[in-house]
Amino acid sequence: MSETEMLARFDLRAWPGSVDPALRDAAAAALEVGSVLVFPSLAFELDADERALVRAAGSDGSAKNISLDPATGVCKGSTLESEALGRLAAMLDRFGRQAQGLVAALEPGYAAGLVRGRTSFRPTEIKGRSSSWRKDDRRLHVDAFPSRPTRGQRILRVFCNIDPEGRPRIWRVGPDFETYARQFLPGFRPPLPGQAWLLHRVGVTRGVRSRYDAVMLFLHDAAKRDLAWQRSAAAEEVAFAPGTTWMTFTDQVPHAALAGCHALEQTFHVAPEALAQPARAPLGVLERLCGRALV
Ligand code: SIN
Ligand code: FE
């Protein structure tokens, strides 16, 4: 995939209620083939109080991100307390609602199948952060959840760089999903009969892991483990300056976050039935490559 296909830039300057149909159609088409939609002039506005909050809100060490569950309003993982925590939660919720408006404007076809998941604030500098290889998002990977099987539900994420110090968030992006899958799929060994059921029974997974989920987790781990591939993969480096918003299907687009501090992120789940091009989705590609149904 060339650089122009990996990234699709759009000039939106305000969080939209609706967008020009030509822009909408171009964005919708690019998203499902596996591009990152980049909005270089779509900033998330912070007032002076919120800028101070962003500087002050460290992670409490329990997880790398601070997250808001929009269903309960509970905000976890921050060192902030009481009133300041409430203001942080309100800021995250405002970002989540704006991100939802953006997705609704660009992808009206997803409406019936779109669920807003957690909103996160990522306050820790990525460069130099230590973690196990499996959790190291500085290595190229596609997202897959070990404990929450998706059974083909998509993972769509909207990010915004809000760093008050002006630092870019640096990603690597690529190669395309089929190239990535073909690289690692030959090493996949199916789980033992009954294993997915057992993982669910003992509470390791919420719901039974489908074959699709097992393959996606394998692809995530196999890529992160393979340092030679990490070095040689056809991926482009991209710098997202503060004030930039970007969105992509992170279960489809291999990505690595190399550096940066202070980003917001909103996760959405999209039902496979809502997709315009299901054959381009990971489930469609993997079922074709494996020659069988995976959910
Ligand atoms: C990731 O999803 O792998 C990390 C992205 C980021 O925090 O920029
Ligand atoms: Fe990721």
Side-chain angles (χ1 to χ4, degrees), residues 65-80:
N65 302 326
I66 296 168
S67 68
L68 172 76
D69 180 345
T72 60
V74 175
C75 186
K76 281 193 189 149
S78 155
T79 50
L80 297 177

Side-chain angles (χ1 to χ4, degrees), residues 20 27 40 87 102 113 124 166 177 182 188 197 228 234 237 258 289-290 294:
D20 172 66
R87 281 192 291 133
L102 178 67
T124 316
F177 183 79
R182 283 182 185 277
F188 177 72
W197 177 85
E237 200 166 298
L258 305 183
L289 296 181
C290 296
L294 296 174

Side-chain angles (χ1 to χ4, degrees), residues 122 126 137 141 143 157 159 169 171 246 255 257:
R122 305 173 173 217
I126 297 165
D137 291 338
H141 64 283
D143 288 348
R157 290 185 149 153
F159 295 84
R169 199 167 190 85
W171 275 26
W246 63 104
H255 60 283

Side-chain angles (χ1 to χ4, degrees), residues 53-292:
L53 206 58
V54 163
R55 287 197 172 91
S59 151
D60 67 6
S62 63
K64 60 188 170 190
N65 302 326
I66 296 168
S67 68
L68 172 76
D69 180 345
T72 60
V74 175
C75 186
K76 281 193 189 149
S78 155
T79 50
L80 297 177
E81 283 174 1
S82 55
E83 189 267 341
L85 183 60
R87 281 192 291 133
L88 181 70
M91 185 187 94
L92 293 185
D93 188 53
R94 189 172 89 247
F95 175 72
R97 282 185 279 109
Q98 291 190 351
Q100 192 158 22
L102 178 67
V103 174
L106 295 176
E107 293 285 357
Y110 291 175
L114 189 73
V115 174
R116 179 181 161 194
R118 283 200 200 136
T119 316
S120 72
F121 173 48
R122 305 173 173 217
T124 316
E125 171 59 53
I126 297 165
K127 208 173 177 168
R129 191 169 68 193
S130 68
S131 65
S132 65
W133 63 267
R134 194 177 263 125
K135 287 196 173 148
D136 189 355
D137 291 338
R138 292 169 303 187
R139 301 180 187 204
L140 289 167
H141 64 283
V142 292
D143 288 348
F145 301 133
S147 61
R148 278 172 294 150
T150 66
R151 311 186 69 83
Q153 289 258 336
R154 306 299 310 279
I155 307 169
L156 175 62
R157 290 185 149 153
V158 178
F159 295 84
C160 185
N161 183 351
I162 56 163
D163 185 43
E165 318 304 336
R167 290 164 291 196
R169 199 167 190 85
I170 315 259
W171 275 26
R172 282 179 87 198
V173 181
D176 66 277
F177 183 79
E178 183 162 341
T179 301
Y180 172 90
R182 283 182 185 277
Q183 174 73 25
F184 298 107
L185 208 48
F188 177 72
R189 297 288 168 268
L192 299 172
Q195 193 176 334
W197 177 85
L198 194 66
L199 288 173
H200 169 50
R201 243 344 260 279
V202 300
V204 172
T205 59
R206 236 190 287 159
V208 176
R209 211 180 255 173
S210 64
R211 179 65 67 93
Y212 169 74
D213 290 290
V215 172
M216 290 298 283
L217 269 177
F218 174 80
L219 294 179
H220 171 273
D221 288 1
K224 282 190 173 175
R225 213 189 276 125
D226 189 339
L227 291 177
W229 180 79
Q230 290 285 333
R231 280 190 291 273
S232 65
E236 305 276 343
E237 200 166 298
V238 199
F240 302 107
T244 302
T245 294
W246 63 104
M247 69 190 260
T248 195
F249 278 116
T250 55
D251 57 0
Q252 176 177 10
V253 177
H255 60 283
L258 305 183
C261 196
H262 301 122
L264 295 173
E265 174 271 335
Q266 174 63 53
T267 299
F268 296 95
H269 304 287
V270 183
E273 305 76 48
L275 299 171
Q277 300 190 67
R280 302 297 296 262
L283 180 61
V285 172
L286 292 172
E287 289 192 333
R288 173 165 52 80
L289 296 181
C290 296
R292 56 165 285 177

